[in-house]
Amino acid sequence: MAQDIVLKENKKSMVFLKPITTIFKGKLSKEKWLLSAKKTGITLASVLLFLILWHFGSQALYNKEANYKINKTLKEQGAAAAEAERACIYSGENNCQPNTLPSPLQVWQSLQLLIADHYVIKADKKAFEEKMFATNEALAAKGKKKITYTGRPSFIDIVLTSIKTVFAGFLLALLIAVPIGIVIGLSPFLKSAFNWFIQIFKPVSPVVWYLLVFMIVKTLYIGNSSDNSFVISFISVGLCAMWATLVNTAMGVASVDKDYINVAKVLKLGTFQKIFKIILPSSLPLIFTGLRITLSVAWMVLIAIELLAQSPGLGLFVWEEFQNGANDSNSKIIVAMFVIGIIGFLLDRIMLSVQQMVSFNKNEAI
């Protein structure tokens, strides 16, 4: 009986597949196609408006800084020097360009350069591995460590490192928060006992979590010469982002319909059977809501934590470009900003899709 109840609810939760099946069956009405086309058109128009405003905004800032540099040179060095400064600026030479907000075209060019640079580094790495193949085989036969490529990572390698770190942190948050949330949700006494702990540590800054994890990991790995930045980063991300999952899991478990619990008692289900057959299926929508928030928070705090941990991810990339101050550094920072935003959006959509599979509320989310 308990299993029938859960299966019935799960069938309800698969309603989200209905629009997809209607598309394949050709039953999507003309009005819906027009509405979809209208939404797409509005989105494209808003993107175009954004790019236009960005272009003219960056041009205005460029002119403002250029005029300031020319006027400053005029006051300090005279008309001839000011005219030379003006000629240098508008000639496009890198050494005298205003360091301000880049235009959309400059950002696009930087993206192309970063992608091209990736293939150059990839070829260098492959050539190094081929060159060192025989040497590494000999070292491996002697039980020694292989010689690895230590050149700078490409932008795509940096992005992949950040994704790997955030998923490791997310998995850690899931493994900690869901079991603790289930235990707290099952017992009002434990909920009261641990409430102070949750309320105190939930709002702690990612910087503080990083420092705490650094203290512990540094001691645990003392005397070890290996790089611990990845370990420190993903643990810090997981501890900082797990609280939404913990709270939502506890709320979901505590709010399970009492009729389901009574059914479990009638069937004389054991504790683990009751958890996995009754409580978890009923509380999955709230748990996945917490996981969705946790993943978003993990991605946001990752940038700051990578910067502090000197982990070779997007956070460190942005900081190094800011410190570099090269003519294309600002463009690369904007590229990283868009990549961070797009990946964050995609991660959120993935979790939303999973959440809709197990949710009984199909209200459209943004």
Side-chain angles (χ1 to χ4, degrees):
M1 183 177 178
Q3 292 176 339
D4 292 338
I5 293 171
V6 174
L7 287 171
K8 192 178 292 183
E9 296 294 350
N10 286 339
K11 285 180 181 179
K12 292 179 184 178
S13 70
M14 299 302 287
V15 176
F16 79 103
L17 291 173
K18 193 173 181 180
I20 298 173
T21 57
T22 58
I23 289 173
F24 286 107
K25 291 179 181 178
K27 294 182 180 179
L28 198 61
S29 66
K30 182 179 179 181
E31 290 77 12
K32 288 184 178 179
W33 279 112
L34 289 174
L35 179 61
S36 178
K38 185 177 179 181
K39 286 182 177 180
T40 303
I42 291 171
T43 301
L44 292 174
S46 66
V47 170
L48 181 61
L49 177 62
F50 170 76
L51 291 174
I52 291 170
L53 291 174
W54 178 9
H55 171 75
F56 285 108
S58 65
Q59 194 64 43
L61 291 171
Y62 180 90
N63 292 333
K64 180 179 175 63
E65 188 164 340
N67 290 332
Y68 172 79
K69 291 180 73 174
I70 292 167
N71 291 331
K72 184 180 179 182
T73 305
L74 178 63
K75 290 178 182 178
E76 295 178 354
Q77 302 177 32
E83 190 58 35
E85 182 74 20
R86 182 192 299 275
C88 183
I89 288 172
Y90 290 104
S91 69
E93 290 185 26
N94 289 335
N95 60 342
C96 54
Q97 292 301 302
N99 188 22
T100 185
L101 178 70
S103 67
L105 179 59
Q106 289 173 313
V107 172
W108 174 250
Q109 290 171 343
S110 290
L111 175 61
Q112 291 177 311
L113 287 172
L114 287 169
I115 293 172
D117 186 56
H118 165 72
Y119 288 107
V120 171
I121 293 173
K122 185 178 179 181
D124 289 344
K125 186 176 180 180
K126 185 178 180 181
F128 175 85
E129 289 173 350
E130 290 174 352
K131 182 180 178 181
M132 300 303 299
F133 178 78
T135 304
N136 281 332
E137 287 292 309
L139 289 171
K142 295 177 182 178
K144 296 181 180 180
K145 290 178 66 175
K146 294 182 179 181
I147 301 172
T148 57
Y149 180 77
T150 56
R152 63 186 177 89
S154 70
F155 182 70
I156 293 176
D157 293 331
I158 287 168
V159 172
L160 292 176
T161 298
S162 288
I163 292 173
K164 182 177 73 172
T165 305
V166 82
F167 272 112
F170 174 73
L171 182 62
L172 177 66
L174 186 152
L175 293 175
I176 294 174
V178 172
I180 294 176
I182 291 171
V183 172
I184 292 174
L186 287 172
S187 172
F189 299 104
L190 286 176
K191 184 178 179 181
S192 299
F194 282 96
N195 186 56
W196 69 270
F197 182 85
I198 296 170
Q199 298 306 322
I200 288 175
F201 288 100
K202 183 172 65 172
V204 171
S205 165
V207 176
V208 179
W209 279 116
Y210 162 76
L211 294 174
L212 177 63
V213 173
F214 177 78
M215 295 175 203
I216 297 171
V217 172
K218 181 193 70 168
T219 305
L220 291 175
Y221 280 81
I222 195 166
N224 192 331
S225 59
S226 61
D227 183 14
N228 304 323
S229 60
F230 173 74
V231 176
I232 294 171
S233 295
F234 90 79
I235 294 176
S236 302
V237 168
L239 292 178
C240 187
M242 71 177 187
W243 303 100
T245 298
L246 196 157
V247 171
N248 275 43
T249 301
M251 287 176 58
V253 171
S255 60
V256 172
D257 195 324
K258 299 303 178 188
D259 290 339
Y260 294 174
I261 304 298
N262 292 333
V263 168
K265 289 179 180 178
V266 170
L267 295 175
K268 297 181 180 179
L269 296 179
T271 303
F272 286 102
Q273 286 181 311
K274 182 172 72 173
I275 290 172
F276 286 102
K277 292 185 177 181
I278 303 292
I279 293 171
L280 273 181
S282 300
S283 56
L284 273 180
L286 264 178
I287 292 174
F288 270 94
T289 300
L291 289 171
R292 183 184 170 194
I293 297 170
T294 288
L295 187 57
S296 297
V297 171
W299 186 246
M300 283 191 293
V301 303
L302 173 70
I303 306 306
I305 288 173
E306 281 183 334
L307 190 158
L308 292 167
Q310 297 293 293
S311 179
L314 283 166
L316 185 60
F317 172 83
V318 169
W319 180 249
E320 286 181 342
E321 287 299 330
F322 175 74
Q323 293 287 87
N324 184 20
N327 190 55
D328 62 345
S329 290
N330 288 356
S331 298
K332 290 179 180 178
I333 290 171
I334 301 298
V335 169
M337 183 189 77
F338 276 106
V339 169
I340 291 166
I342 291 168
I343 292 175
F345 171 77
L346 292 175
L347 292 175
D348 183 73
R349 293 299 100 176
I350 291 168
M351 287 304 302
L352 178 60
S353 299
V354 177
Q355 178 186 348
Q356 287 179 332
M357 290 180 189
V358 298
S359 176
F360 311 134
N361 182 6
K362 302 303 172 188
N363 292 332
E364 186 178 0
I366 59 172

